Structure formats: C-alpha cells, structure tokens
Amino acid sequence: ETPFFVNATAGTTVLGAFDPLRAIGKIAKQYNIWFHVDGSWGGSVIFSEKHKYLVDGSNLADSIVINPHKMLGAPLQCSFLLAQNSQIFAHANSLGAEYLFHQGDSQYDLGDNTVGCGRKPDAVKLFIGWKIFGTEGYRARIEHLFRMSEYLSRRLKSNKRFRMVLKERQNLQVCFWYVPEGIKEYWLNGENEECSENNGNGLRIKINGEDKVLLGVRDGDKSVPSETSNGDKSVPSET
Ligand SMILES: *Cc1c(COP(=O)(O)O)cnc(C)c1O
C-alpha cells in the first residue's frame, strides 16, 4: 500500500523521453521514498553541456543506472548501478564469507557489493574509453549524435511521405511513419499534420470497399485493438 520506490526514466527506449527528474526527486525526498533513475540509455547526455539539462535533478537520485555501452560506444557490456550511499550495496548483499573476501583495507574490492561473486571488470571499458576520448571527446560525440538526429528529423519533415510520431523529440531517436503516396488520403490526421502521442492517430486503409484495416495505432500508451475485414482483433496494433 505504501510506495517505497519510485523509478524515473532518463531516456525511454523507444521514444527517448526524459522524466522530469528534479520534480519527481523532490516528491520522493518529501515522502522518504527511494528514488531510482534509469539512465541506461539517456544518462550519457551528462557529458554534453548543451544537453545535460535533460538529466537535471539526477543528483537527487538514491541510485542511478547508466550504460556506457549505449551512447558512449563502450563495448558490450558496460553498465553501472551507482548509489549515493557507497555502503548500501555491501550492506544489502554481503554474506561475510571470510573464505571469499578479505576484510580490511581495500575499498576497491567490490566483491561484497554484488549478489554474484565472480564478475568481469566491465568498468575497465569505460576507464579506457574515457582515457582515449576524454571528457571533450565524449562531449563531441554526444553533440554530433544530436546534430545527426536533428538532421534526419529535418529531412523526414520536409518529405511528404513521412509523418513524425512526436512533435518534439528529446533524445536521439527519430520516430516516423512511412506513408506511401497511394494511401496517404486515408491517414486519419489528414495531410501534412504531425502526429502527437496522445491523439490516437493511425492509418486507415480501405480494402474491398468498406472494409478497413488499422495500422500503427497509438493512443497514448494504450494500444488500440486492430480491426481487420474479418473482425479479427488479434493483429498487433503497433507495427
Ligand atoms: C537499454 C535499456 C535498459 C536495459 O539495459 P541493459 O543493456 O539490459 O543493461 C533499461 N532501461 C532503458 C531505458 C534502456 O534503454
């Protein structure tokens, strides 16, 4: 009944949306709820002065995940779960097995911090990447990626055969529909309109006179069942 954990996403996997971390974090703090940020995909924008506003408030997180194997191009796999309280993972996971881990001087022995025991040293990949490219190299990489996605978005918007899924993008993803000339008159939103996430738009095609097929439907996060000529509702609505 009482929530103990709130997860905010910094860069969703499909559309790339960033939750308002500062606002959510403040509420979590107010109610003493664990605040986790899933920055697996979008967290790397922190390297860009220009784009890091997207993760504003991430400092309020009790824990955060970031995957350098995504936007930073580190080899798979390179993924971090970081916590404000550096003791907390050891506190939660340590079994105190003396025959496995030696107590005492080493802050670098992370063995007791994990559920498992033997693990690959994935952090080395970020360490080496960061040494080679530097903070400046990572900044340039992120900003280049954003420019490229902006470029693709502009190209698509200027071509009538494509419709954008989102009016405003936040991340690198450029989501669009391809609407061939021959069927564009059946586009529910009408010509030249961009589609927003909320208006339940889709593509309706007439086949055999009155029969209709509905493709690529999104109504907010609710999937609308597809209609086909024989009334079969089993066709996936997100295509
Ligand atoms: C990729 C992704 C994950 C999963 O990351 P792994 O590569 O499996 O560690 C989790 N959340 C989001 C938002 C992602 O984009």
Side-chain angles (χ1 to χ4, degrees), residues 46 118 165 168 183 189-190 225:
I46 197 74
V165 175
E168 303 272 346
I183 59 171
N189 272 8

Side-chain angles (χ1 to χ4, degrees), residues 99-166:
Y99 60 94
L100 288 177
F101 301 111
H102 301 285
Q103 300 302 318
D105 57 344
S106 182
Q107 59 186 351
Y108 299 110
D109 184 351
L110 303 180
D112 257 346
N113 291 8
T114 60
V115 177
C117 189
R119 284 291 179 271
K120 291 173 291 181
D122 290 326
V124 173
K125 296 166 193 168
L126 177 65
F127 176 79
I128 292 173
W130 207 338
K131 278 283 183 202
I132 293 172
F133 301 111
T135 303
E136 172 56 23
Y138 278 153
R139 180 200 63 74
R141 177 188 173 88
I142 302 287
E143 291 177 6
H144 175 73
L145 292 171
F146 271 92
R147 278 197 304 277
M148 289 299 99
S149 101
E150 187 49 41
Y151 172 73
L152 175 60
S153 179
R154 272 204 315 276
R155 292 293 302 265
L156 290 166
K157 282 177 180 170
S158 68
N159 187 322
K160 288 191 167 173
R161 283 173 300 172
F162 297 103
R163 301 288 159 86
M164 307 312 287
V165 175
L166 297 178

Side-chain angles (χ1 to χ4, degrees), residues 67-70 72-79 120-123 125-126:
N67 285 0
H69 70 228
K70 293 189 171 175
L72 296 183
L76 271 171
Q77 69 181 44
C78 180
S79 185
K120 291 173 291 181
D122 290 326
K125 296 166 193 168
L126 177 65

Side-chain angles (χ1 to χ4, degrees), residues 15 152-167 169 174-196 199 201-204 216:
L15 295 175
L152 175 60
S153 179
R154 272 204 315 276
R155 292 293 302 265
L156 290 166
K157 282 177 180 170
S158 68
N159 187 322
K160 288 191 167 173
R161 283 173 300 172
F162 297 103
R163 301 288 159 86
M164 307 312 287
V165 175
L166 297 178
K167 280 200 170 69
R169 284 178 313 109
V174 180
C175 301
F176 59 89
W177 282 290
Y178 173 63
V179 186
E181 279 294 302
I183 59 171
K184 74 175 187 204
E185 61 185 290
Y186 299 111
W187 189 260
L188 290 181
N189 272 8
E191 179 113 34
N192 284 334
E193 258 185 64
E194 285 186 1
C195 306
S196 86
N199 60 3
N201 45 60
L203 183 60
R204 201 176 273 270

Side-chain angles (χ1 to χ4, degrees), residues 29 51 55 57 63 95-96 102 104 110 117 140 166 182 185 228-229 232 238:
K29 288 278 165 302
H51 300 289
V55 289
S63 56
L95 292 170
H102 301 285
L110 303 180
C117 189
L166 297 178
E185 61 185 290
T228 60
S229 52
D232 179 3
E238 286 182 40

